């Protein structure tokens, strides 16, 4: 089977399985009618792969698929920098005055307060500098909560 035939088979399977969006969504017609996509304003970034809890209902860490063990524990500085640069380009292209960055995991607090502060500082330096709108990023963490140094974190990077 050639590449074109394979692509056609995949498209046919998509159409059969899910008429929307594959058959019923006409992007060209929407654009011709003046519709413009809404740009992303919130980015969820998985900065730490591991978790310090062992919840029996956890779909990630407590079930059969244990491939997470082979993945890097944290987001590398190179991935962070490339991600922030791309977010800045997106903010510039869409003239966004602000974006929200949600730091996620596993448990994002395992990244460490110093690295979290560095991440937020890097975001605040990169986004306004590379976007024409002087985009202001805000950051928050999705966390499981039980963290022994939470009082220290409350006075952390903001």
């Amino acid at each position: 089977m050639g590449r074109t035939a394979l692509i056609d088979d995949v498209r046919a399977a998509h159409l059969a399985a899910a008429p929307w969006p594959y058959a019923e969504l006409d992007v060209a017609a929407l654009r011709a009618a003046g519709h413009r996509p809404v740009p992303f304003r919130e980015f969820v970034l998985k900065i730490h792969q591991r978790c310090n809890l062992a919840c029996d209902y956890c779909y990630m860490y407590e079930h059969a698929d244990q491939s997470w063990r082979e993945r890097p524990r944290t987001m590398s500085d190179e991935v962070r920098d490339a991600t922030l640069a791309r977010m800045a380009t997106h903010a510039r292209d869409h003239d966004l005055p602000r974006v929200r960055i949600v730091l996620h995991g596993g448990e994002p607090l395992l990244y460490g307060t110093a690295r979290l502060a560095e991440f937020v500082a890097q975001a605040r330096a990169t986004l306004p500098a590379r976007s024409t709108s002087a985009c202001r990023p805000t950051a928050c963490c999705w966390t499981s909560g039980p963290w022994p140094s939470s009082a220290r974190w409350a006075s952390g990077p903001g």
Side-chain angles (χ1 to χ4, degrees):
M1 177 183 288
R3 180 169 165 74
T4 302
L6 180 61
I7 290 171
D8 290 342
D9 285 351
V10 169
R11 285 187 180 143
H14 284 166
L15 288 171
W20 191 94
Y22 300 107
E24 299 170 3
L25 181 62
D26 187 344
V27 175
L30 287 170
R31 288 195 176 196
H35 174 77
R36 295 294 171 253
V38 176
F40 294 113
R41 289 180 168 79
E42 181 172 274
F43 299 86
V44 179
L45 305 178
K46 188 168 189 172
I47 60 171
H48 202 282
Q49 180 71 22
R50 304 298 194 267
C51 181
N52 58 329
L53 300 179
C55 304
D56 60 2
Y57 57 82
C58 181
Y59 65 91
M60 182 73 178
Y61 302 106
E62 298 301 323
H63 289 278
D65 180 4
Q66 295 291 301
S67 61
W68 60 269
R69 294 178 185 273
E70 305 302 319
R71 297 183 192 134
R73 288 182 180 268
T74 64
M75 176 186 284
S76 70
D77 292 343
E78 294 80 15
V79 169
R80 176 201 63 200
D81 295 344
T83 301
L84 292 174
R86 181 63 188 102
M87 288 170 58
T89 300
H90 177 78
R92 182 191 66 236
D93 290 350
H94 297 283
D95 198 30
L96 300 178
R98 66 184 138 295
V99 297
R100 182 174 184 222
I101 302 169
V102 180
L103 304 175
H104 190 279
E107 174 50 64
L109 296 179
L110 291 174
Y111 200 61
T113 54
R115 288 190 75 195
L116 285 166
E118 179 186 343
F119 194 106
V120 172
Q122 186 71 24
R124 289 181 175 163
T126 301
L127 270 79
R130 294 194 181 190
S131 63
T132 56
S133 62
C135 178
R136 186 180 190 293
T138 58
C140 65
C141 273
W142 282 349
T143 176
S144 57
W147 192 252
S149 61
S150 59
R152 256 186 55 217
W153 170 248
S155 63

